[in-house]
Amino acid sequence: MRKHKISAFVITKNEEDRIEDCLKSIYNWVDQLIVMDSGSNDNTVKIAKRYTEEVYQTDWPGYGKQRNRALKKCLHDWVLTIDADERLSDGAKKEIDNLFSKENLPYTMIKFPWQTYFLKKPLRFGRFSTPQGKLFHQREACFNDGAVHEQIVMPKRICYTTKNPLEHYSWRDYQHLQCKHLEYAHLQAKERYHKGQRASISQAILSSCYCFFWQYLIRLGFINGRRGFIIAMTLAHYEMHRYFDMICQDLENKDKAL
């Protein structure tokens, strides 16, 4: 039996096609399940209420702030943050049960190997296979206010990585892959620009080329076949769009000043 209770939360918006599989993978395993929805106009909330009474509907303040809202509602020391496009495997749950059967734990964060699927097949190498810190001890922990790719901030990070994966179905299809990365590039560019960062065309070209080289060759994305090439190119385009977005913001502001 686990000697440490677990709270879990999911942040959602219009995830009716994916939220049920996510909640099914954890609802009868965690001790508290929270869904923070930010204005879904589909059946996301209706589906979520089948699995938990703690479904909250809010505005959208940004990824980090929304996760902190959910974190404040967590009653237990250990917290699992999981996205609607993720499912926790049975093997990973068994590993956590065994680990949490001990009274004293030397860890403050549990990482899960990310088994990311693209067009129904897993990407076994590259960025989207990196272990993710998803289960953590919440004492003094919070999320930063990053517009995207928000991080858990905690005073002491001692990690344990499971052998079994967290399944990740990030993209519904190729169009969704491109739309999602374009949106993230814009959010991050806007955040960086407001912090005073500026960009140039040469930076955009060099960064995108380096990103492709790193993802496809150094991180062995080529072993994923055609899927690996598409993902490496998408990440390279993400880098380019992020820099181009900052350049466009700069041009717009200079035009306004004239």
Side-chain angles (χ1 to χ4, degrees):
M1 289 182 63
R2 284 204 314 260
K3 294 184 179 179
H4 305 273
K5 291 186 175 182
I6 299 173
S7 295
F9 70 81
V10 191
I11 61 172
T12 60
K13 183 176 181 181
N14 293 336
E15 294 283 0
E16 66 177 2
D17 60 328
R18 305 192 290 188
I19 187 61
E20 187 155 27
D21 286 338
C22 170
L23 298 179
K24 272 183 180 179
S25 75
I26 60 169
Y27 85 100
N28 60 353
W29 179 71
V30 298
D31 302 285
Q32 181 190 18
L33 179 55
I34 296 163
V35 175
M36 295 287 286
D37 186 80
S38 56
S40 290
N41 52 24
D42 62 3
N43 290 317
T44 298
V45 170
K46 182 179 178 181
I47 294 168
K49 286 181 177 178
R50 298 175 192 163
Y51 295 90
T52 178
E53 295 179 357
E54 292 194 68
V55 179
Y56 304 92
Q57 294 175 272
T58 73
D59 61 346
W60 177 246
Y63 285 97
K65 290 180 180 178
Q66 186 75 332
R67 291 190 194 277
N68 282 327
R69 281 178 175 173
L71 184 59
K72 288 180 180 178
K73 296 183 181 296
C74 293
L75 301 176
H76 305 301
D77 288 338
W78 283 91
V79 175
L80 174 70
T81 173
I82 186 170
D83 294 332
D85 59 7
E86 295 173 331
R87 296 98 176 86
L88 192 59
S89 66
D90 290 339
K93 287 184 285 189
K94 288 178 182 177
E95 280 190 71
I96 298 304
D97 286 342
N98 290 335
L99 186 66
F100 279 26
S101 65
K102 301 172 184 178
E103 191 68 46
N104 298 311
L105 295 174
Y107 310 106
T108 60
M109 175 174 283
I110 311 299
K111 290 185 174 184
F112 302 94
W114 227 9
Q115 189 170 73
T116 301
Y117 287 80
F118 177 43
L119 302 179
K120 299 182 180 180
K121 287 191 176 181
L123 300 171
R124 302 192 183 280
F125 298 89
R127 173 177 172 178
F128 294 105
S129 62
T130 305
Q132 301 294 304
K134 289 284 188 172
L135 179 59
F136 61 97
H137 196 285
Q138 70 158 314
R139 185 183 303 151
E140 299 182 40
C142 66
F143 292 86
N144 63 20
D145 289 339
V148 66
H149 302 315
E150 65 287 354
Q151 301 292 318
I152 299 170
V153 179
M154 53 198 313
K156 193 173 184 181
R157 191 180 294 241
I158 305 172
C159 299
Y160 173 89
T161 303
T162 65
K163 292 182 176 132
N164 290 279
L166 178 72
E167 297 171 358
H168 183 214
Y169 299 85
S170 186
W171 315 291
R172 296 176 174 93
D173 50 31
Y174 178 74
Q175 182 181 10
H176 186 219
L177 168 72
Q178 298 303 323
C179 289
K180 192 170 183 179
H181 278 86
L182 189 60
E183 178 189 2
Y184 282 7
H186 172 67
L187 289 172
Q188 199 163 69
K190 187 176 180 181
E191 180 181 59
R192 291 187 175 193
Y193 187 83
H194 285 306
K195 288 181 178 179
Q197 293 187 33
R198 297 297 181 264
S200 67
I201 297 292
S202 59
Q203 280 181 308
I205 295 171
L206 288 172
S207 181
S208 61
C209 289
Y210 176 79
C211 180
F212 177 82
F213 174 79
W214 182 260
Q215 296 298 331
Y216 193 64
L217 296 176
I218 303 301
R219 300 202 65 179
L220 306 179
F222 66 89
I223 299 178
N224 293 318
R226 289 181 293 177
R227 287 173 173 79
F229 183 84
I230 292 169
I231 291 296
M233 284 297 296
T234 298
L235 291 172
H237 288 156
Y238 168 79
E239 284 292 308
M240 183 174 287
H241 286 310
R242 187 169 60 181
Y243 282 101
F244 281 176
D245 200 307
M246 283 194 284
I247 293 169
C248 289
Q249 290 179 67
D250 202 31
L251 291 171
E252 289 172 359
N253 288 332
K254 285 178 179 177
D255 287 343
K256 289 177 184 177
L258 293 177

